[in-house]
């Protein structure tokens, strides 16, 4: 039986061209970019160029003397931790995060709370969109940071970033966005978004696992969370990996160059999946279906069923999907995101995430739909 992978929001298969570019860089024996000899200078030049071009592809300007900054990290979790802990600083104040953030933001916010910060969660509507009126009421003169993701990893719902930026600007409060699910699937321009800081990770866009980044505007104070080195202006010390940066660059370039075609393909597959499941299953519904969403994400609840039972039965049929954030999927607890949306417990109990990717085909989706329908009807009877 062929395997069908519908869990791309968890991670994406490494693109073969990206793998080849990374391997070639490793084979060239790139040395430590911080070394003062010829090997270091060569690696530094290569890394500096990659940094500038990655920034450009994300709509930032790293090239200027006092331009935007791009710090490489080990991935999205570290980028979000650096943003929350590093921008909020040491003097406690208020920090606002949306109630549907990824565990890496929620967890960093909990750490801030332990350090004496007043952390508040911005509520969302049942469609999973952040409540702007509530955010406006919650902002105070003491707010140190607001963090709201660009698009949610479980529902795909896209957040009103421009409006949130306006609210934050009017109070001169720094704003960070977790764009980890958006980059590669939607146009993302750091300057056009006018945010202060933005997180991304390579493995969600067919790049290597183990590298991500935090973009932030010049002048924004970001306190290091790792100590003991001068690399990356001391903000994120540690030896930088040129091969992994090559991986980010190659993966991002493929996404940006083919964005429209990729989006259309993903949307077509996602719609095919949703339409067939809804047409042939009377107890299925799309979570967040009325909101603007990522092109690849379908969160479908099968009312009356247990999501874990559906997931396991589908796994036996070689169909991979998920019941929530991969960082929480070891547990069978109901999704905090869907709870925060205020959905009925029956909907939360039966909700699964199907996230399609560029290498999926219409034929695969047809087969997957047949297997999903078989499983849910069997479990229901
Ligand atoms: C929205 C969001 N933020 C952060 C992360 C964490 O990224 P990483 O797996 O690179 O640590 C993820 C990964 O699932 C995510 O979906």
């Amino acid at each position: 039986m062929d395997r069908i992978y519908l869990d791309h929001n968890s991670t994406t298969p490494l693109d073969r061209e990206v793998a080849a570019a990374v391997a070639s860089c490793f084979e060239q024996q790139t040395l430590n970019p911080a070394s003062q000899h010829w090997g270091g200078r060569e690696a530094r030049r290569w890394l500096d160029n990659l940094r500038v071009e990655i920034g450009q592809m994300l709509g930032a300007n790293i090239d200027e003397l006092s331009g935007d900054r791009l710090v490489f990290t080990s991935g999205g979790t570290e980028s979000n931790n650096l943003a929350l802990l590093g921008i909020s600083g040491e003097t406690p104040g208020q920090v606002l995060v949306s109630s549907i953030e990824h565990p890496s933001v929620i967890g960093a916010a909990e750490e801030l709370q332990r350090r004496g910060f007043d952390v508040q969660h911005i509520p969302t509507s049942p469609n999973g969109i952040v409540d702007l009126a509530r955010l406006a009421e919650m902002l105070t003169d003491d707010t140190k940071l607001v963090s709201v993701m660009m698009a949610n990893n479980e529902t795909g719902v896209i957040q009103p970033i421009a409006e949130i930026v306006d609210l934050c600007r009017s109070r001169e409060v720094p704003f960070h966005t977790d764009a980890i699910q958006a980059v590669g699937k939607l146009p993302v321009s750091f300057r056009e978004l006018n945010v202060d800081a933005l997180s991304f990770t390579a493995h969600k866009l067919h790049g290597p696992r183990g590298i991500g980044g935090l973009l932030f505007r010049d002048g924004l104070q970001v306190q290091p969370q790792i100590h003991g080195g001068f690399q990356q202006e001391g903000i994120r010390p540690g030896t930088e990996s040129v091969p992994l940066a090559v991986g980010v660059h190659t993966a991002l370039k493929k996404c940006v160059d083919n964005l429209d075609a990729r989006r259309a393909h993903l949307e077509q597959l996602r719609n095919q999946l949703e339409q067939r499941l809804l047409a042939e299953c009377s107890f299925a519904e799309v979570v967040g279906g009325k909101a603007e969403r990522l092109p690849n994400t379908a969160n479908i609840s099968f009312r009356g069923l247990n999501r874990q039972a559906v997931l396991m039965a589908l796994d036996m049929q070689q169909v991979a999907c998920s019941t929530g954030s991969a960082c929480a999927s070891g547990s069978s607890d109901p999704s905090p995101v869907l709870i925060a949306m205020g959905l009925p417990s029956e909907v939360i109990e039966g909700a699964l995430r199907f996230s399609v990717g560029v290498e999926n085909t219409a034929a695969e989706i047809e087969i997957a739909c047949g297997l999903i329908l078989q499983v849910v009807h069997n479990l229901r009877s």
Side-chain angles (χ1 to χ4, degrees):
M1 205 184 310
D2 285 343
R3 291 173 158 183
I4 303 180
Y5 186 68
L6 302 180
D7 195 18
H8 291 79
N9 284 10
S10 161
T11 196
T12 52
L14 185 64
D15 180 285
R16 287 187 193 287
E17 278 177 42
V18 176
V22 173
S24 154
C25 183
F26 272 119
E27 277 158 17
Q28 289 175 56
Q29 303 290 352
T30 346
L31 296 167
N32 187 340
S35 299
Q36 291 180 338
H37 48 68
W38 48 266
R41 282 195 300 280
E42 270 171 28
R44 168 65 43 207
R45 262 198 305 278
W46 198 348
L47 188 65
D48 284 350
N49 284 338
L50 290 167
R51 202 188 298 270
V52 167
E53 288 182 19
I54 291 167
Q56 275 167 357
M57 288 190 273
L58 291 170
N61 194 346
I62 315 255
D63 215 1
E64 290 173 0
L65 213 52
S66 61
D68 307 317
R69 298 275 190 276
L70 168 56
V71 165
F72 290 116
T73 64
S74 62
T77 299
E78 190 190 332
S79 299
N80 284 341
N81 271 266
L82 180 58
L84 265 86
L85 303 173
I87 300 170
S88 301
E90 267 145 37
T91 317
Q94 190 201 47
V95 169
L96 303 177
V97 301
S98 90
S99 53
I100 53 158
E101 293 300 309
H102 184 266
S104 56
V105 167
I106 298 286
E110 282 167 3
E111 174 56 23
L112 283 170
Q113 205 152 20
R114 283 190 285 275
R115 295 180 187 180
F117 284 78
D118 170 23
V119 174
Q120 305 276 336
H121 293 107
I122 316 156
T124 72
S125 68
N127 261 331
I129 301 168
V130 163
D131 186 336
L132 293 170
R134 281 294 293 130
L135 170 59
E137 288 166 6
M138 291 167 89
L139 282 162
T140 71
D141 292 339
D142 193 34
T143 311
K144 303 273 184 183
L145 178 68
V146 174
S147 181
V148 177
M149 65 203 332
M150 250 188 104
N152 183 265
N153 46 302
E154 292 189 36
T155 60
V157 171
I158 297 170
Q159 300 301 319
I161 299 299
E163 286 87 341
I164 298 172
V165 168
D166 285 347
L167 284 173
C168 292
R169 288 269 170 268
S170 69
R171 304 293 296 246
E172 293 181 21
V173 173
F175 175 66
H176 161 254
T177 191
D178 169 349
I180 284 162
Q181 291 293 345
V183 172
K185 299 176 196 136
L186 298 177
V188 173
S189 167
F190 181 70
R191 289 239 167 158
E192 275 173 33
L193 285 168
N194 198 18
V195 298
D196 296 289
L198 180 150
S199 304
F200 66 93
T201 192
H203 74 97
K204 307 285 184 188
L205 42 127
H206 304 274
R209 280 164 281 282
I211 184 164
L214 181 68
L215 267 172
F216 56 94
R217 67 167 172 74
D218 183 42
L220 185 73
Q221 291 300 311
V222 182
Q223 300 299 325
Q225 301 304 309
I226 294 175
H227 305 278
F230 55 87
Q231 296 95 337
Q232 307 205 79
E233 301 179 46
I235 294 168
R236 203 286 192 175
T239 303
E240 297 141 296
S241 167
V242 183
L244 290 182
V246 165
V248 175
H249 184 277
T250 315
L252 194 55
K253 182 151 177 30
K254 286 192 82 168
C255 286
V256 170
D257 288 351
N258 303 298
L259 188 62
D260 290 345
R262 283 187 175 207
R263 266 175 98 179
H265 176 66
L266 294 174
E267 203 155 26
Q268 204 168 10
L269 297 181
R270 195 269 312 272
N271 293 348
Q272 179 190 348
L273 180 98
E274 286 185 351
Q275 280 159 13
R276 173 137 184 235
L277 294 181
L278 262 57
E280 296 182 35
C281 179
S282 59
F283 49 93
E285 64 189 86
V286 178
V287 174
K290 293 198 179 76
E292 205 189 333
R293 286 178 297 154
L294 290 173
N296 78 321
T297 310
N299 192 306
I300 301 185
S301 177
F302 300 97
R303 265 185 194 253
L305 295 188
N306 175 289
R307 62 189 177 285
Q308 213 61 34
V310 179
L311 180 124
M312 284 173 187
L314 285 174
D315 184 34
M316 304 263 285
Q317 301 293 332
Q318 306 294 322
V319 176
C321 63
S322 89
T323 56
S325 163
C327 302
S329 61
S331 70
S332 55
D333 290 344
S335 153
V337 169
L338 304 197
I339 293 173
M341 287 164 69
L343 299 177
S345 60
E346 219 196 0
V347 172
I348 299 172
E349 270 305 303
L352 289 111
R353 176 184 74 185
F354 301 93
S355 45
V356 300
V358 285
E359 79 287 357
N360 285 137
T361 62
E364 271 183 319
I365 300 298
E366 246 351 82
I367 297 169
C369 283
L371 293 166
I372 297 166
L373 287 164
Q374 206 177 36
V375 161
V376 297
H377 283 124
N378 276 347
L379 286 170
R380 180 83 165 195
S381 60

